[in-house]
Amino acid sequence: MTNFSRRTFARLFGATAAASSLPLPALAAGFKDAIPQPLTPTTHHFPQGFLWGSATASYQVEGAVNEDGRGPSIWDTFSHTPGKTAFGDTGDVADDHFHRYAEDIQIMKNLGVKTYRFSVAWSRVFPNGSGTPNPRGLDFYNRMLDTLLAAGIQPYCTLYHWDLPQTLQDNGGWENRDTAQAFADYAGYTAAHLSDRVKHFMTMNEIRTFVELGYRDGVHAPGLKLTAARVAQLNHYAVLGHGLAVQAIRASAKPGTKVGLAENAIPTAPVIETPEHIEAATRAYRLINASFLTVIMEGRYHDLYLKQLGSDAPKFTAAEMKTIGSPVDFLGLNVYNPAYIRASNSEKGYEVVPSPASYPHMYSPWLEFGPEGIYWSPKLATKLWNVKEIFITENGASSTDVLTPEGEVYDTDRVMFLRNYLTQLHRAVSEGVPVKGYFLWSLLDNYEWADGYSKRFGIHYVDFTTQKRTPKLSAKFYKEVIARNGLA
Ligand code: NOJ
């Protein structure tokens, strides 16, 4: 018996038994009657047809930044600016997915995923963001989609995952209202060409993140730190771009195409699940997400959001608000960590409960462990806006991920993370919350933005020198979940 197993044995069966020199199987046999048999936990099955998937994004995996006429994006510029990303990492090569997509689709097939969420790089299609499209721009996506469909995997396409064409940024980026129209034109063009094979389009990914980290905090591309008034105005043009794109996709895509978005609405979890705190969490969900998901779902800005901004509030017209509120066919929610909420007598009717320093988090310091978020986010969205179809468009975690000489990655923390989030997701689904699918972030380790390659989110380990992919323990876990359509 190894030290480890003897210690474990001692915990389970007592020190005397563990001290015995008998081999482990003989001891286990001796104690058989004391162990409830079989030791299988309750199975949490998901509804038949639940769509298990995985997700990536163009700049994070593709590489090939100078191929087939692709124009530069703000992430090329930002990542090549000294001091902006960890170790000066760029997405020049990333996972080389542009050349290795067939191998990656085979990996998906082995995993058993039914669907794959990817994003199109705007500057491959319109190298300058608008004007004349690049004739070779969609070639890569055409090849990739044909290979996916041949493998029996349904594609879900995001049109903007933060890689804004640099030319548009040179003209003001999302501060310029024309960018919203350019985005709609690109979205309509791309949907017209891909909707024979893609049935679900997401306009944008995480509007909150690119607005706040890119234009307010300066830690993501384009690296600006603008005033509150300018941020509120460009936020308005970003959500307007979403609404214009919904209309453009509807106008140009094949009948039956569905349109939505993938937003990281902050999940507001009642700190204790009692009616008063649940009520507070519901109010918090609307207000904390006021300028992103709420305005899109309601077509108007929350009164308290405008009041809080005062003279920094965005200027808008009634026609713009109607466009922003264009109905979506489905809602995509990216879920990472929740904010814990409690009731209060303040005007808002809630307070955010701060996390203590000891609160557990994953390898990325911002990623607190909070499985309840994946229960509350879709539940509150359904209650507030009567949404009929929801997908968890992202959920996953970073881990230190060491590849052993035997070729294993024991990411037990990621498995623990996923198991607990999926248990909470099951709780939502079994209560009738209309979550139809789940996209794990991410299929592969990839370019984690300003963190470069230092933070790995994949369930497949990527050696960025050789581009070798190795399934981690979490890939084996996820494969079992998919095969059983549940947790057990
Ligand atoms: C959300 C983003 O959409 C994705 O690009 C990123 O890698 C993950 N969060 C992890 O940070």
Side-chain angles (χ1 to χ4, degrees), residues 56-57 60 117 161-162 205-206 209 264 334 336 364 366-367 394 396 441-442 446-449 451 457:
T56 67
Q60 295 184 269
R117 175 177 172 234
H161 203 123
W162 309 350
N205 176 72
E206 297 198 358
T209 310
N264 58 332
N334 292 1
Y336 290 91
S364 304
W366 59 268
L367 182 43
E394 280 185 36
W441 187 272
S442 181
N446 58 45
Y447 183 71
E448 178 57 12
W449 307 111
D451 287 333
F457 273 80

Side-chain angles (χ1 to χ4, degrees), residues 108-131:
M108 294 179 213
K109 205 173 167 187
N110 292 342
L111 198 58
V113 287
K114 312 277 183 289
T115 182
Y116 172 54
R117 175 177 172 234
F118 71 103
S119 81
V120 171
W122 182 347
S123 69
R124 287 197 191 280
V125 188
F126 289 89
N128 296 314
S130 60

